[in-house]
Amino acid sequence: MARKDDLIVGLDIGTTKICAIVGERTENGVDIIGTGTHISKGLRKGVVIDIDATVQSIKMAVEEAEMMADCEISSVYAGIAGGHIRGFNSHGVVALKDREVRQSDIRRVIDAAKAVAIPMDREVIHVIPQEFVIDEQDGIREPLGMSGVRLESKIHIVTAAVTSAQNIVKSCNKAGLNVIDIVLEPLASAQAVLASDERDLGVCMIYIGGGTTDIAVFADGSINNTSVLGLGGYHLTNDIAVGLRTPFDEAERIKKQFGVASARYLASDDVLTVPSVGGRRPREVSRKILCEIIEPRAEEILSLARQEIVRSGLDDKIPSGLVLTGGASALAGLSELAEEIFEAPVRIGTPTNVGGLLDVVRSPMYATGVGLVGYGYSQESGRFKGFRIRDESIFGRVKQRMRDWFYTEFA
Ligand SMILES: Nc1ncnc2c1ncn2[C@@H]1O[C@H](COP(=O)(O)OP(=O)(O)O)[C@@H](O)[C@H]1O
Ligand SMILES: [Mg+2]
């Protein structure tokens, strides 16, 4: 049985599937030793709407992963997504008393940047330093010990709706799991599928899942934009079900088997047999019609992602282009359509950077789960500097608040 201390488990709570990925620490990094996947019934657009259904799916996925890895899972890194996620950049300035940067100055300058009004119903889930500026010198990653009189920090702050974050923790706890940390899904996926040279040059990762599309832009060597759109592969399937008047499950099968992102990419036209609803007889439909149903929605998803990037002023800062990942990125022709819309090079991203059962998880749909393991590993080993300084975790603070309340009430 794998030793408990060596395990790092990522729990991707998606709209389509819940997936537990078990990593084991080794001398050279982390090996994937087990996975468990179960269909997800309790989420809409990335947000938990039915705790009991979510708990059931989590239990099933975790049990399967435990069997495969021959281990017992007690703690996880859980992902969070949904349209309620907001990412924005902020900066802070402090004077250097000793004319040299000390650890306390770094803490102060990050605190200064964090001092923005966050509404009561939102919670900060990540504080990611992008760079430091000392006097006029910018682009500094490691300011400790450097000389100067003025230290400036630039950071990326990610906030989430308090209730959505709490429902994720609650679902995990009810399934008997302790949550070590909540991690923004786009950050986790980026960790799994992006190469470090791409990240340094500037790249945009778009994870198209079932109910959400997650975006993470790395520019100027650090994370610059994170956002989540409430659209995904589910909407493609739903359009096909409505357009072809066929049951949802059939629409899903037809999409995967015959769907192409644009009718223009079809070399020849075939005829498909499409089952009808309500006991009517199946009908013959041209594949071109299917693709004409898919195209506007696929275009909508990609165009909204593009708008988000243009809005944040980063469209000319991503020379490495786009990396598409997530289950729905497997749609034939999607990368070609993205190339047309973004006028940039596009590749499909599958998880790398891990060992072990890489073949089992080498699919875009595992990007988040594998990324969560990678995130956990880098946090615990302190090796990955990407999102190093992290705000205290939500539950830590919730606990602290309860403690404060307890002391003021009963002291
Ligand atoms: N071969 C495929 N072609 C097109 N779409 C696919 C294919 N495989 C999976 N999908 C779609 O991917 C979506 C699920 O994405 P995934 O990343 O696994 O899930 P989640 O929503 O849980 O993040 C579904 O909408 C599914 O229809
Ligand atoms: Mg997902």
Side-chain angles (χ1 to χ4, degrees):
M1 205 171 190
R3 279 189 40 228
K4 221 174 187 173
D5 299 349
D6 289 334
L7 296 182
I8 303 169
V9 182
L11 187 67
D12 169 12
I13 306 174
T15 312
T16 315
K17 60 167 200 310
I18 293 192
C19 152
I21 306 241
V22 188
E24 187 180 26
R25 237 183 297 266
T26 63
E27 278 163 23
N28 329 320
V30 57
D31 277 359
I32 301 301
I33 59 167
T35 68
T37 308
H38 197 262
I39 81 167
S40 167
K41 289 241 166 82
L43 275 86
R44 258 200 97 212
K45 297 188 177 186
V47 174
V48 178
I49 53 159
D50 180 341
I51 292 193
D52 288 338
T54 307
V55 170
Q56 277 314 316
S57 304
I58 292 177
K59 279 187 177 160
M60 300 295 278
V62 165
E63 240 168 63
E64 193 183 312
E66 282 177 333
M67 279 227 290
M68 184 165 170
D70 185 24
C71 68
E72 212 177 287
I73 297 172
S74 54
S75 304
V76 297
Y77 286 87
I80 185 167
H84 59 96
I85 301 286
R86 300 275 176 279
F88 59 92
N89 296 328
S90 177
H91 73 280
V93 189
V94 294
L96 294 171
K97 282 184 227 114
D98 306 331
R99 297 192 162 247
E100 188 186 307
V101 180
R102 308 223 178 273
Q103 198 65 49
S104 59
D105 297 318
I106 300 180
R107 213 168 306 128
R108 274 197 309 135
V109 77
I110 300 261
D111 281 346
K114 268 165 53 182
V116 283
I118 309 266
M120 282 296 283
D121 57 347
R122 305 193 64 79
E123 193 82 54
V124 173
I125 58 168
H126 290 285
V127 172
I128 310 159
Q130 296 168 322
E131 64 164 357
F132 295 91
V133 184
I134 299 178
D135 298 342
E136 294 297 300
Q137 181 61 52
D138 60 2
I140 298 170
R141 293 284 174 83
E142 199 47 83
L144 188 64
M146 290 182 73
S147 300
V149 291
R150 177 183 191 274
L151 176 67
E152 197 178 332
S153 68
K154 295 188 175 168
I155 63 172
H156 187 72
I157 299 179
V158 179
T159 67
V162 175
T163 46
S164 301
Q166 279 170 347
N167 284 338
I168 288 197
V169 178
K170 218 181 261 177
S171 304
C172 291
N173 290 162
K174 272 193 158 183
L177 300 168
N178 165 43
V179 179
I180 305 168
D181 213 343
I182 295 194
V183 185
L184 184 64
E185 300 217 330
L187 287 180
S189 313
Q191 157 93 346
V193 303
L194 297 182
S196 60
D197 52 358
E198 273 176 330
R199 236 183 290 199
D200 289 342
L201 194 60
V203 66
C204 171
M205 184 216 68
I206 302 181
Y207 174 106
I208 311 178
T212 58
T213 293
D214 307 348
I215 306 168
V217 185
F218 290 79
D220 300 327
S222 54
I223 183 87
N224 249 286
N225 185 281
T226 45
S227 43
V228 180
L229 308 172
L231 274 180
Y234 166 86
H235 301 87
L236 290 171
T237 307
N238 202 47
D239 288 352
I240 297 170
V242 173
L244 299 183
R245 280 172 278 136
T246 190
F248 188 88
D249 291 347
E250 292 294 338
E252 178 77 12
R253 179 186 61 82
I254 292 169
K255 172 179 84 172
K256 290 181 184 168
Q257 212 171 339
F258 304 106
V260 180
S262 166
R264 287 172 290 129
Y265 306 150
L266 275 181
S268 62
D269 200 8
D270 321 329
V271 173
L272 318 172
T273 308
V274 177
S276 296
V277 287
R280 295 180 183 84
R281 280 195 299 126
R283 284 157 302 124
E284 308 254 283
V285 176
S286 125
R287 191 173 178 190
K288 188 158 165 275
I289 305 245
L290 167 71
C291 300
E292 281 169 356
I293 295 174
I294 294 175
E295 184 169 350
R297 185 66 90 172
E299 248 180 39
E300 183 190 9
I301 296 174
L302 293 168
S303 305
L304 284 174
R306 173 146 200 262
Q307 272 172 31
E308 180 63 35
I309 296 159
V310 171
R311 197 184 53 76
S312 55
L314 294 168
D315 49 327
D316 56 353
K317 288 194 171 171
I318 46 172
S320 301
L322 258 72
V323 177
L324 295 185
T325 188
S329 70
L331 180 71
L334 197 69
S335 57
E336 285 87 341
L337 188 65
E339 258 170 24
E340 282 183 35
I341 290 176
F342 283 82
E343 295 170 31
V346 177
R347 73 173 178 93
I348 302 292
T350 55
T352 50
N353 306 333
V354 287
L357 305 170
L358 187 54
D359 283 343
V360 179
V361 291
R362 194 176 279 154
S363 150
M365 64 185 255
Y366 290 121
T368 313
V370 174
L372 287 167
V373 173
Y375 175 88
Y377 173 72
S378 48
Q379 287 283 302
E380 289 172 20
S381 67
R383 224 178 274 176
F384 180 63
K385 303 224 164 154
F387 7 108
R388 188 182 26 150
I389 303 177
R390 164 77 157 77
D391 221 19
E392 317 124 64
S393 61
I394 280 178
F395 10 97
R397 255 176 306 162
V398 170
K399 258 190 241 153
Q400 184 61 42
R401 248 181 239 156
M402 288 182 70
R403 222 176 283 142
D404 293 347
W405 169 81
F406 189 82
Y407 282 123
T408 45
E409 286 296 288
F410 300 100

